[in-house]
Amino acid sequence: MVTVLLLYVPLYAVYSFGVQAVFGFFKHDAFYYLTVAKNSSVFFFSYDGETATNGFHPLWQYILTALFNVIGTHDSQVQLYAGYILASVLVTLGYVFAGWALYRVTGSAYWSLLLIPGPFAALFTAKLQSHVAQGVTYTYSPWAFINGMESPCSVAAGGLFLLLLTRMCAVQKETPSPALPSGPSGESSDRNVLALGGVLALVVLARLDNVFLVFTTSLYFLVSDWRGPRRFRRAFLSVLPAGIVLVAYLGFNFAYSRMCLPVSGQLKASGGAALTGNLAMSLCDFFPPLRSIIRPSYSLHDWGTTATRSSAMILPMVFGLWLGWSLLRSRARHAELFQKYAWVLPLVSYMVLKGGYNLVNVRLGSQGYWYYTMSVFMANYLILLVLWETIALRLGSLSRLFRHLCVGLYVSFYLFTSAQTISLVSFPDKRVFSVWRDRHEITAALRRIDPQVKLIDRSDGMYAYALDIPAVCALGYAIDREGYEAMKGHRFLEYCLDRGFQITYQNKNAYAIPEENCTFEKIYEHKESGTVFVRIVPSTGNGLRSPQ
C-alpha cells in the first residue's frame, strides 16, 4: 500500500504531462548529475567532456552514469525518463523499508501508511503563493526526493538502515542492563552488525556528509553492551565497511581527478564562518519582525526560498535535540521506556550533528533541502513513533467512530497533498524547460555562428545538459583541479578563455561576470527563455566571481 500511495503522484503526473512533469520533479542541481552522466564513462567523470571532475556525491552519479552508458543513446528525453523512473523506484523502496520498520515496532499497517506524505508535510501543506508552495510544502513530502539528485539513494539506503536497525534491536539480551540499551545478542548478530555497516557504507556514498550516521551508530554499539570486548568488536564492525569504502572512494577520486575530496564541497565549505549569517537568516525566516534589527536586507518576497533551507536545517535538528534529551532523562524514572527506544539515539544524534555541521560550515545560500533528505526522512519516522507511543496506544479505548474519523482525515490530507504536488510539478521552470525543448534549434544556431562553440555555463547545469556543445561549469561545483585553483586565485575567466570557452549568455537567473573585466558581443537570442547568447571579449581583470 505504501508503494501505491507514493507512486500514484509521479506516475499520474508523467502520464498527464509527459516529460514536462520530469522537469517539475527534478530540481536545478539535478542537471549537474545529468550533465556529468552524459559526458562520462564508468571510470572517468567529466562535466565538459574534456577534463575530470569529482564534484558530486558518488552513488547516484555512478548509477546514473552507468545507466546512461547502458542506454547507449544521446536522446536526452530517454535519459530524463530513465533517471526519473529510477529515482521514483529508489524513493519508493526507501519508504517501503521504513514502513516495514515502523510496522515491526507498532504492529500497525495504518501507522506505516502515515509516512506518506509524512508529519513534516502536514506542518507546511497550504495553498499559498506558488513559489512558497513549491518551496516549503514540497520540501517535506516524499515526492520532493524524486529530484534527480542524490536524494533517492539516501532514501533507499536510509530506509534499509532503519529496517535492519529495528530488526536487530528487537532481539534482547538475556540479562539487560537496567540503565543502558539492550543490543543484539548471539554470534549471528555480529554478522547483522556487519550487514548494517554495509548499508551505512551505502548511506555515506549516497551523500558524503551522512558519515555522521556511521559515527553515531558505532558509538551506540560501543555503549550498549558492557560485556568485555564484544562492544568494541561490534562498534568496529559497524564502521568497518564504511571505512573501507571511503578509503577506496578517496583513492579513486585522486587517481583520476587529482583531488580526494569533491571540489563542490571544498568550494562551499566556510571553515566555520557561516554560523553568524545562518543564524541571522534562520531567525528572520522564523521571526520576520526581527529582520529590521538583524538583517535589513532580508526580503519577505524571498521567504519561500530561504525558509525552505533554514527550516530543513533547523527543525529536524531541534526535534532531534528534544527527543534525545527526553530519552536520556527517562533512564532513571522510566527505565523500561528507555530500554524500548534507546536504539533511536543514533538517529537523533545524527540529525543533531548533521544540522549543526551545516549551520556552522555551509552558508544557506549554498544549501538546498536535499542536504537534509535523511534528516527529514528520519524525523518523519521518529515523529510517528512518538505519536504512536503517546497517542495511538490509547486509541483502543476510543469509539470506532473516532478512529474512522482519523482515517478519513488522513485520506483527505493525502489526497489534498498529492493533488497539490501534481499541480505544482505541471508548471516547471519555464526558462529551463524551454531551453531543453528548443535544444536542437539553439545548438544549431550557435554552431552556425561558431562551429567550435564552447559555452561558459553560469546556471546549475541546465544549459550544459540541454545543449549539445561542450560547457564549463562557471559556478565551479563540477570543475577540474586546474579550474579549482584558478577560481581560488580569482582568475577563472582567464582559465575558461584559455581553454576556448568564450560564449556565455545574459539572463536574469545567471551568475554575473564582472563587466569591468570584459565586454559582451551579442550573437544570438532565444526569445522563449529570454536568453541572450554573447561572445566574451576579454580585458584585464579577475575573471568570474567565485560562488558565494
Side-chain angles (χ1 to χ4, degrees), residues 364-387:
L364 276 171
S366 297
Q367 296 185 28
Y369 71 80
W370 44 90
Y371 275 53
Y372 304 101
T373 296
M374 284 277 287
S375 294
V376 172
F377 182 57
M378 289 181 173
N380 277 318
Y381 177 83
L382 293 174
I383 289 173
L384 289 176
L385 278 183
V386 172
L387 292 176

Side-chain angles (χ1 to χ4, degrees), residues 118-337:
F120 264 62
L123 291 175
F124 291 94
T125 294
K127 194 65 175 177
L128 303 174
Q129 299 178 26
S130 60
H131 72 284
V132 175
Q134 282 186 320
V136 179
T137 301
Y138 188 67
T139 298
Y140 295 107
S141 77
W143 303 297
F145 302 142
I146 306 173
N147 54 24
M149 288 178 280
E150 68 276 358
S151 297
C153 289
S154 287
V155 172
L160 185 56
F161 173 80
L162 288 175
L163 178 60
L164 293 183
L165 184 66
T166 304
R167 293 182 64 183
M168 288 175 59
C169 290
V171 181
Q172 299 298 313
K173 295 189 298 186
E174 295 84 352
T175 55
S177 166
L180 290 169
S182 55
S185 63
E187 290 304 317
S188 63
S189 65
D190 282 353
R191 294 194 295 270
N192 292 339
V193 173
L194 189 61
L196 189 73
V199 175
L200 280 172
L202 294 178
V203 169
V204 175
L205 285 179
R207 185 170 176 91
L208 294 170
D209 51 9
N210 286 338
V211 71
F212 295 117
L213 187 59
V214 179
F215 299 147
T216 59
T217 304
S218 180
L219 181 62
Y220 167 74
F221 283 114
L222 189 63
V223 303
S224 66
D225 193 331
W226 292 104
R227 294 186 176 181
R230 184 170 67 172
R231 57 179 175 145
F232 296 102
R233 183 174 71 249
R234 290 182 177 167
F236 175 73
L237 290 175
S238 68
V239 77
L240 178 62
I244 294 173
V245 165
L246 278 175
V247 170
Y249 163 73
L250 295 175
F252 174 63
N253 262 4
F254 187 80
Y256 85 91
S257 69
R258 294 188 296 133
M259 299 178 73
C260 289
L261 296 175
V263 62
S264 51
Q266 295 187 65
L267 285 172
K268 290 182 179 182
S270 71
L275 177 61
T276 303
N278 287 350
L279 285 175
M281 180 67 75
S282 299
L283 286 171
C284 289
D285 287 333
F286 284 93
F287 309 104
L290 292 177
R291 66 192 178 102
S292 60
I293 301 173
I294 61 176
R295 179 158 288 195
S297 61
Y298 179 89
S299 173
L300 288 176
H301 295 289
D302 296 326
W303 184 87
T305 299
T306 60
T308 298
R309 299 175 178 183
S310 60
S311 57
M313 177 176 65
I314 297 295
L315 293 179
M317 181 172 62
V318 171
F319 172 69
L321 281 169
W322 169 81
L323 184 55
W325 176 246
S326 298
L327 274 173
L328 292 174
R329 286 187 63 192
S330 72
R331 280 190 301 174
R333 293 179 298 173
H334 306 286
E336 183 179 345
L337 182 66

